[in-house]
Structures are given as C-alpha cells and as structure tokens.
Amino acid sequence: MSFLTLTHLQKSFGPTKVVHDFNMAIDKGEFVSFLGPSGCGKTTVLRMIAGFETPTGGEITINGKDQTSLKPNQRNIGMVFQAYALFPNMNVFDNVAFGLKVAGKPKSEIEARVKEMLKLIHLEHLADRYPYQMSGGQQQRVALARALAPAPQVLLLDEPLSALDAKIRVSLREEIRQIQRQLGITTVFVTHDQEEALSISDRIVVMNGGKADQIGTPAEIYNRPTTRFVANFVGTLNVIEAKVVDPAASTVEVGGKLLGVYGSLAGREKGSTIPLAFRPEAGSLLPGVSDTSALNGTVISSHFLGSVVRTKVDIGGSMISYDTFNDPSAAAPVAGQQVSLALTPESLMVLAD
Amino acid sequence: MKRLWAWGALTIGLLYFFLPLIGMTNFSLKMRRGEYSFDAYVKVLADTRFQDTFTYSVTLALCTILVGVFLVVPTAYWVRLKLPFLRPYIEFVTLLPLVIPAIVVVFGYIRLYNTSSWLPLTGTALGTDILLVAGYTMLALPYMYRAVDTGLRTIDVTTLTEAAQSLGAGWITIIARIILPNVLVAVLSGAFLTFAIVIGEFTMAALLNRPAFGPYMQVLGANRAYEPAALAVIAFAITWGCLGLIQLVSRFQKSAQRPV
C-alpha cells in the first residue's frame, strides 16, 4: 500500500487552474522528484502536501490518514526551502532543536537528537554558529537537519539546491540522497534541474501545465519519454521526419532508408509522416557514405565541450546533434565531411503529441 | 563660494537650534544669585509632585508600549503575511493621529466614555487611565507601526512562518519566538519613541485630569521661574536619551546581521 497518496488533486487561484487532476502514489521510503519548468504546478503540489495551500479538490493521505484539511503544523511533515529559512535569531543548535521544543520533548532527548542530527550533516562543530556566520551550503544542511529532527512522516524539499553554486549543489544532492537512504524517509523533491532529478530520484514526475506528463524511473523518463514535452524537457533531443512504411512491423523510411522503431505504430496510417526522435548520444557516427540502413549526412560543425564533442550533422535537410566522448587520439569530424549515422530501433522514439 | 554659503546656513541653523537650549540651561543654573548651581534641579527632583507625576507617566508609557507592541506586531505581521493588499489602508489609518489633533480625540473620548455612557470609563481613575493609555497608543501608532513594518521588511516573513509551521509551531509560538525576536530592535525603536511622546504629552492628560508629567510641567511653568527651565532641560535629556538608545540598538542590529 502506498504511503503518500495524492488523489485527483486540483488547485485554482481565482479563475486560473494551476493543478489539474493530479494523481500519484508514493511508497514508504521512496525518493520522488517533481520536475518541470517554472509555472508547471510542481511547487503548488508540494505546498498542498505541506498544507500551505488548500486544494480546490482532491485528497491527500499519508499512511492511510486524510491530511487534506489538516493545518501545516498538524501534519508532521518536514520541509526544506530554497531560501534556507533558518531562524536568524537562533544558533544552529536552537534551529535544529526548534521542532523538538515545540513538540514538548524533554531537554535530554532534545540534546541527544540535535547532536545526532548535527552528526548526520557533519556540522557538530558549528552548533554555536548563527545563520549569518555560515555559507549557503552549511545553512542548507542545517535546514535539512532541522526538518529531520522531529522525525517527520514525509520530507519535502522545495528546490533546496537552487541558491547554491554548482560544486556544492552536486555534493549536497549526493549527501541528501545518502541521508534519505540512511533514514528511509519518504521524500518529495521539487526541481527544475533535470540532472538533479535524474541523479537522485527513485521516480520522477515530469509536470507540464499543472498535470503529470509522465511518471517513471529516471531511466524510463530519459530513454522512453512518452510525450514530446518530456522528451524535449529532459535532455537534448533530435527530431527528424519519417514516413510510416509498415505500422504492424514498426518500420519507417527516412531518406530512402528503412528503419525499425521502438514501440508500436498502431493507429498510424501507412504513408503518413511522423516525428521520430533520438538522443544525441544514440547510435554511432561513422565516416563516409553508407549503403546500409545508416542515415547519410554532412557534418556542418563540430564543438569541443570538454568531456564531450558535439557534432552538428545535416541529414536530408534536418539538423541533428551527435555527442561522443572526447577521445584525444581521434580526430574530430570536420565541416563538410560525409558521414553516416547508424541508429538502433531501441534508440528511435515515436512521440505522442 | 558655495561651500561658504553651506557653512553659513549650517551655522545659522545650529545657532537657531542650540541658542535657546543654551540660554535655557544657563538660566536654569542661575537660581543662586551670582553663581552657577544645580539648585533648581535639586528643588525639582526633590519635589514629590515631580516624583509622582514622573512615575505616573513612566508607568503609563510602559503600559502604552506593551499595548502598542501587542497591537502593532501581530497586525503588521498579519498584514505582511496574509493581507498585503491592505497595507496602504493600514498605513493611512496609522497616519491619522498625525492629522487629527489630540484635543479632538480626547473630546471624542470624553463624549463616548463619560459617566452617563454605556461604558463609563471616565467615572473611575483606573478607567480614565485605560482611556489615556488608549489615547497614547493611538498617538504613538504612526511611529510604532512604521518601526515594526520596517523591521518586518528585513526578514522573509512568509518563509520563516512556513518553516516554523512545518516544525509544528502555532501562531502564538511563531509570533513570540520567531517574529518578535527578529524585529526586536525595530520594536525597541518604536518603544523609545513612544516613551518620549508619552512623557511630554500634555493635552490628553490635562483634559482627562490625570496627574501626568506634561500637566505638571505646565503648572510649574506658570508659577515658578528657574524650576521650569530645569524641568525642560530634564525633559530634553530624557527625549535625547531615548533617541540615543534608538541609535545604539540600531547599531547593535547592524553589527549583529553582518554577512560572513
């Protein structure tokens, strides 16, 4: 049975509907990320779980108990904010102890729990510091410890890494995931950063226009996007036009070459044109013209991006990107060079609109 | 040439401001013929009426500060948190005491709360004191509200509130343990201004016939020569002391919130 369940959740601000019939079941101990662009409704859903927004319709249950009408301070949900939100008048110890003091825990228990939490985030030595005396990364770790101290049922993370610099973001997200695994706490993480979501989630909910476009594991979301929006939002995507040859056998034609595609073409008319998508790292780019099923093209440009070399190729009038790891011993493709791109059926996706 | 004009204007301004004060202080020290002395001050400070009226006004000032804090902090906080569209209206209301003369307000009080009204507050000393504190709170409202509102602007009220709520805190805990301590310096600024206003206030206390410091200064001024000057210097010292304390706590706040 699911631990956190969102059923037909809806939210409107005046005449504007920002969340449309959102459904989701999250298991105990699962780490789920809400991923989407600004204004897609991900933070609104999170705030409804926290109790800061009242749903216009639908139900929120945690461990089988209805939370929809409970006040935020009655839900026992920990939350970490983008802006840290540490209490400026309290030092680290008092910040972490706040929830325990509010709950009326005995002093000895508070002390032990705070020490445990500070050990968890490796900041035992900064217990006497005030928020203004710490860096952003340290403050966010304290905010995490503060949220975890009262042992909440669910942990909500509202873009907690957005205000940090790139290196700290990576290390802190790994730390968050490791702590989450260690405590086994059910976690909902909101982000607009696909790399963050892909790297730390058990499942990702890609949101668009107040709805969940796709829910799946990071690999499913990246490799098998079901909509054009998900495919475009998560990672880079090449889209070329293809003509349906045999819907039953899932074969299409591109530039006179027959290709098999992943998934069913049922419902597509023979001879109709469909958009065919693939990732820049899919397939292999070979020098010279091919008379097999590989697509022939001309290199337009080649860009060195450090660990990756991105090559722009013109295939029958469609511009595609091809990424390969940087190999110092191999020469990068040059503009005007004839190449062929071999794609496997698994790498070719037919997207629903 | 421009600098010369600036210095000239400054000198005239300072003379205009300080000469009467110097003259008054000089006069207050001349009670003993032919030499400077603190006789006038000693006489004023030894006067039981001074002690009584000053104690009375200090007590009422403290009550006014308490009422002001309990009224203004939750109001300003709630307006910032939940009703931001009401801010211009609230600001307008808090400015009204600056444009409505105290004498109009006190006559309104007397008419509304006289002994034959449904709430006869003027019928007892305690009731009149309550009325006076209400009047003082109103007079201090523009200063207290602005001070607290400015303090609230320096913190992220919404996020701090939500963080405290997610940790199980209710409204009273949030205001008492998160909001108030973080705007304490602003509240203290408002409190010192309130104190200065109440100590010098005359109209309301006189018309409600209460033994406050303002009416005492007026009575003394009408009947004595040197003592009123000494009293005026003491009143100035109290006011300036309050202003100095505002500066001090403001500086304390600035140093406490310095970034890393």
Side-chain angles (χ1 to χ4, degrees):
Chain A
M1 193 184 150
S2 303
F3 187 70
L4 168 62
T5 316
L6 312 175
T7 316
H8 302 299
L9 212 54
Q10 292 171 42
K11 179 68 188 175
S12 299
F13 291 110
T16 316
K17 207 165 189 180
V18 290
V19 177
H20 305 256
D21 197 32
F22 187 88
N23 293 286
M24 173 99 207
I26 300 172
D27 290 333
K28 193 165 175 57
E30 200 176 7
F31 193 115
V32 173
S33 293
F34 290 173
L35 175 67
S38 299
C40 71
K42 57 188 188 299
T43 298
T44 307
V45 173
L46 191 88
R47 290 175 62 78
M48 284 194 279
I49 300 171
F52 300 138
E53 301 289 352
T54 310
T56 312
E59 195 184 58
I60 300 164
T61 61
I62 297 177
N63 203 13
K65 286 177 196 153
D66 187 9
Q67 308 279 315
T68 322
S69 54
L70 290 183
K71 290 175 183 168
N73 59 343
Q74 296 170 330
R75 296 192 182 198
N76 191 21
I77 288 177
M79 185 144 172
V80 177
F81 299 83
Q82 182 181 344
Y84 321 135
L86 293 182
F87 306 130
N89 56 313
M90 297 180 195
N91 62 19
V92 168
F93 186 95
D94 289 335
N95 262 285
V96 178
F98 184 82
L100 301 163
K101 283 181 184 167
V102 167
K105 301 280 182 202
K107 206 176 167 187
S108 56
E109 194 182 318
I110 292 173
E111 208 158 293
R113 181 69 176 162
V114 172
K115 277 183 183 166
E116 184 191 342
M117 287 297 109
L118 291 181
K119 197 173 173 192
L120 194 70
I121 57 164
H122 311 295
L123 288 180
E124 306 104 301
H125 59 292
L126 298 183
D128 295 329
R129 290 261 181 104
Y130 280 85
Y132 71 85
Q133 295 171 316
M134 294 190 298
S135 69
Q138 287 172 333
Q139 286 190 56
Q140 200 58 297
R141 278 150 75 192
V142 174
L144 180 66
R146 183 181 67 177
L148 291 169
Q153 307 183 82
V154 174
L155 176 66
L156 305 178
L157 306 165
D158 186 9
E159 305 206 29
L161 309 172
S162 300
L164 305 172
D165 61 58
K167 266 198 169 173
I168 307 250
R169 284 171 80 139
V170 174
S171 65
L172 192 55
R173 82 183 181 212
E174 284 163 5
E175 202 172 330
I176 287 174
R177 180 58 160 154
Q178 185 240 319
I179 290 171
Q180 186 269 337
R181 277 205 176 112
Q182 195 177 328
L183 301 178
I185 186 166
T186 311
T187 304
V188 180
F189 178 77
V190 161
T191 182
H192 59 262
D193 186 322
Q194 43 165 304
E195 191 189 308
E196 251 168 46
L198 290 169
S199 64
I200 60 172
S201 316
D202 289 319
R203 278 194 297 160
I204 296 173
V205 182
V206 183
M207 291 191 66
N208 179 28
K211 286 182 283 192
D213 248 31
Q214 190 177 351
I215 301 174
T217 63
E220 282 167 357
I221 294 288
Y222 190 80
N223 296 326
R224 300 281 166 251
T226 53
T227 69
R228 187 185 281 254
F229 173 80
V230 175
N232 272 319
F233 189 75
V234 183
T236 313
L237 195 74
N238 294 308
V239 180
I240 54 174
E241 297 281 296
K243 197 185 274 180
V244 177
V245 175
D246 184 354
S250 293
T251 50
V252 296
E253 184 206 310
V254 180
K257 304 279 179 86
L258 275 184
L259 300 171
V261 298
Y262 178 83
S264 169
L265 286 177
R268 309 275 182 168
E269 274 182 38
K270 188 176 174 181
S272 63
T273 305
I274 57 165
L276 204 59
F278 58 95
R279 299 286 180 196
E281 68 276 14
S284 25
L285 194 70
L286 306 164
V289 177
S290 162
D291 49 8
T292 63
S293 63
L295 303 173
N296 292 321
T298 310
V299 173
I300 301 299
S301 61
S302 183
H303 305 274
F304 178 69
L305 305 175
S307 60
V308 168
V309 176
R310 176 160 292 175
T311 308
K312 299 269 185 196
V313 183
D314 180 357
I315 294 180
S318 297
M319 193 68 69
I320 65 115
S321 295
Y322 177 79
D323 288 353
T324 184
F325 281 119
N326 172 38
D327 179 0
S329 62
V334 291
Q337 185 182 343
Q338 292 294 306
V339 288
S340 61
L341 180 66
L343 296 160
T344 60
E346 287 73 27
S347 63
L348 289 168
M349 301 173 267
V350 180
L351 305 172
D353 287 316
Chain B
M1 190 65 185
K2 262 187 183 175
R3 278 179 83 88
L4 199 68
W5 277 109
W7 280 110
L10 181 69
T11 311
I12 290 169
L14 288 174
L15 285 175
Y16 180 80
F17 185 76
F18 279 108
L19 266 183
L21 281 178
I22 294 166
M24 185 173 67
T25 312
N26 184 47
F27 183 70
S28 72
L29 297 168
K30 281 188 168 173
M31 195 176 184
R32 200 178 296 172
R33 198 164 292 215
E35 60 177 305
Y36 284 118
S37 73
F38 286 104
D39 287 1
Y41 293 88
V42 171
K43 211 163 185 184
V44 163
L45 293 173
D47 186 354
T48 53
R49 282 176 306 162
F50 168 81
Q51 291 160 8
D52 293 344
T53 55
F54 191 71
T55 309
Y56 177 81
S57 283
V58 168
T59 311
L60 255 60
L62 294 176
C63 292
T64 306
I65 289 165
L66 276 180
V67 174
V69 170
F70 279 114
L71 180 74
V72 170
V73 174
T75 307
Y77 165 64
W78 200 252
V79 167
R80 273 208 166 261
L81 187 70
K82 299 275 183 188
L83 310 163
F85 60 94
L86 278 183
R87 262 189 82 209
Y89 304 104
I90 299 287
E91 281 197 4
F92 175 74
V93 169
T94 61
L95 280 176
L96 284 178
L98 294 179
V99 288
I100 300 174
I103 195 161
V104 173
V105 176
V106 81
F107 272 119
Y109 280 175
I110 291 168
R111 201 171 165 75
L112 271 174
Y113 304 110
N114 61 40
T115 46
S116 54
S117 73
W118 61 276
L119 189 60
L121 284 175
T122 56
T124 61
L126 180 68
T128 316
D129 289 345
I130 291 170
L131 211 53
L132 198 52
V133 168
Y136 286 160
T137 306
M138 186 212 67
L139 284 182
L141 207 56
Y143 311 102
M144 186 58 108
Y145 185 83
R146 252 146 214 82
V148 172
D149 195 48
T150 307
L152 286 172
R153 208 176 296 166
T154 61
I155 57 172
D156 186 349
V157 170
T158 309
T159 316
L160 289 180
T161 301
E162 289 178 352
Q165 280 182 312
S166 72
L167 292 163
W171 292 116
I172 293 172
T173 309
I174 294 170
I175 291 178
R177 288 172 66 179
I178 308 296
I179 302 301
L180 194 56
N182 281 301
V183 294
L184 195 59
V185 174
V187 169
L188 284 175
S189 299
F192 293 135
L193 282 169
T194 304
F195 188 84
I197 289 167
V198 173
I199 290 296
E201 205 282 331
F202 169 77
T203 315
M204 286 190 165
L207 289 172
L208 287 172
N209 196 27
R210 297 305 297 148
F213 191 56
Y216 167 71
M217 283 200 288
Q218 189 272 332
V219 170
L220 203 69
N223 299 299
R224 305 276 179 163
Y226 297 100
E227 288 91 332
L231 204 54
V233 173
I234 292 169
F236 259 108
I238 292 167
T239 311
W240 285 7
C242 287
L243 293 174
L245 283 172
I246 293 172
Q247 289 294 321
L248 200 71
V249 291
S250 303
R251 201 170 297 169
F252 171 73
Q253 184 186 34
K254 276 175 202 158
S255 62
Q257 290 185 349
R258 71 189 187 280
V260 183

